[in-house]
Amino acid sequence: MLAAILFDLDGTIVNTDPIHYRAWQEMLLNYSIEIDETFYKSRISARLNLEIVKDILPQLSAAEGQKLADEKEALFRELAPHLELLSGFSELLAWTETHQLKRALITNAPRFNAEYMLKVLGIKEVFHTVVLADDCIAGKPDPAPYQVALNKLGITAGEAIALEDSPSGIRSAVGADIRTIGIASTHDPQVLQEVGAFMAIPDFTDLQLWTLLNSLIEPNLSAIAPLVNRTP
């Protein structure tokens, strides 16, 4: 029986990738490095900042790398004053309330970014627990953040479903033995399924999602959420 839904933040609840991409483009130009979307998705997206800096700019000291990461995130917040929730998220949130499900946020985002995004989106108080990579022994793709979330919620992996947009996040959730749905807002659906998602959908209005969730709450339920009848 489903007891909780576990949400990633960047790319899952809100599509921030275009803003992160722009911020990294501007920051790396200071080091005469020009990046395109392919580079961003393969070397930057969903990774921890210090890992990114160590990979791309190995000549920087730890202190210089941290300074660059902090400046990049400050630029991100400057560029992101008007974030919008991914389609269907508000309805999914209401559905979890109706069925008294627990909600957790598991993100690699730095603390200031996570707090900023939750405030701008107006969802700061909707999660029963928030797990940041900074608070764990390792960030995604390690399963540690999801294992921490399960422990905080007091549930087993079999009682949860995770929603993730990146290969890194999916590996993390699947590594914690959690059934994971890929949100194909930033990556190809096939890629998400290849790394472990059992389903890949464009956003939270997708018929497959609502059919699945309702079957987990009431296996014989015939009526599904009104959203499924919405035309694209």
Side-chain angles (χ1 to χ4, degrees):
M1 203 67 165
L2 185 63
I5 296 184
L6 315 180
F7 296 88
D8 172 48
L9 181 55
D10 285 281
T12 299
I13 292 176
V14 53
N15 186 6
T16 52
D17 253 32
I19 305 173
H20 283 296
Y21 174 42
R22 180 180 167 189
W24 276 112
Q25 274 186 314
E26 292 191 22
M27 295 304 300
L28 291 175
L29 277 176
N30 295 326
Y31 298 87
S32 301
I33 298 175
E34 295 185 20
I35 65 171
D36 58 16
E37 289 191 22
T38 300
F39 183 100
Y40 173 79
K41 287 186 177 182
S42 63
R43 302 278 294 278
I44 295 177
S45 181
R47 299 180 70 191
L48 295 171
N49 280 340
L50 295 185
E51 292 178 354
I52 295 168
V53 174
K54 187 176 180 180
D55 175 27
I56 300 174
L57 296 165
Q59 72 273 24
L60 297 185
S61 67
E64 290 170 333
Q66 185 62 64
K67 182 175 182 292
L68 170 59
D70 291 343
E71 290 176 349
K72 179 266 165 181
E73 296 310 339
L75 177 58
F76 166 81
R77 293 190 293 273
E78 181 182 328
L79 296 172
H82 304 296
L83 298 175
E84 294 184 359
L85 295 166
L86 204 66
S87 296
F89 176 79
S90 296
E91 289 82 356
L92 177 56
L93 194 63
W95 183 86
T96 63
E97 290 278 4
T98 297
H99 295 286
Q100 300 181 324
L101 299 183
K102 295 178 180 180
R103 297 173 298 277
L105 184 74
I106 300 92
T107 177
N108 268 358
R111 187 178 305 277
F112 287 154
N113 275 21
E115 292 175 350
Y116 175 82
M117 286 186 277
L118 293 177
K119 180 180 179 181
V120 170
L121 293 167
I123 55 172
K124 191 174 181 179
E125 308 299 329
V126 306
F127 298 101
H128 295 90
T129 190
V130 174
V131 177
L132 305 176
D134 292 345
D135 298 329
C136 302
I137 59 172
K140 303 173 188 175
D142 193 281
Y146 276 99
Q147 292 167 340
V148 169
L150 294 175
N151 289 335
K152 285 189 172 184
L153 294 177
I155 62 173
T156 66
E159 296 175 293
I161 279 183
L163 297 163
E164 278 280 359
D165 76 297
S166 71
S168 173
I170 290 170
R171 289 189 180 99
S172 176
V174 171
D177 295 324
I178 300 169
R179 293 168 293 178
T180 305
I181 297 173
I183 306 298
S185 63
T186 57
H187 293 273
D188 187 276
Q190 185 176 343
V191 171
L192 302 184
Q193 290 183 291
E194 286 175 353
V195 296
F198 72 90
M199 175 190 299
I201 58 177
D203 56 36
F204 302 114
T205 67
D206 193 270
L207 172 62
Q208 295 180 84
L209 173 68
W210 288 99
T211 302
L212 170 71
L213 293 180
N214 282 308
S215 72
L216 294 174
I217 294 296
E218 297 182 48
N220 296 319
L221 190 67
S222 58
I224 56 179
L227 261 179
V228 303
N229 294 320
R230 180 183 294 180
T231 55

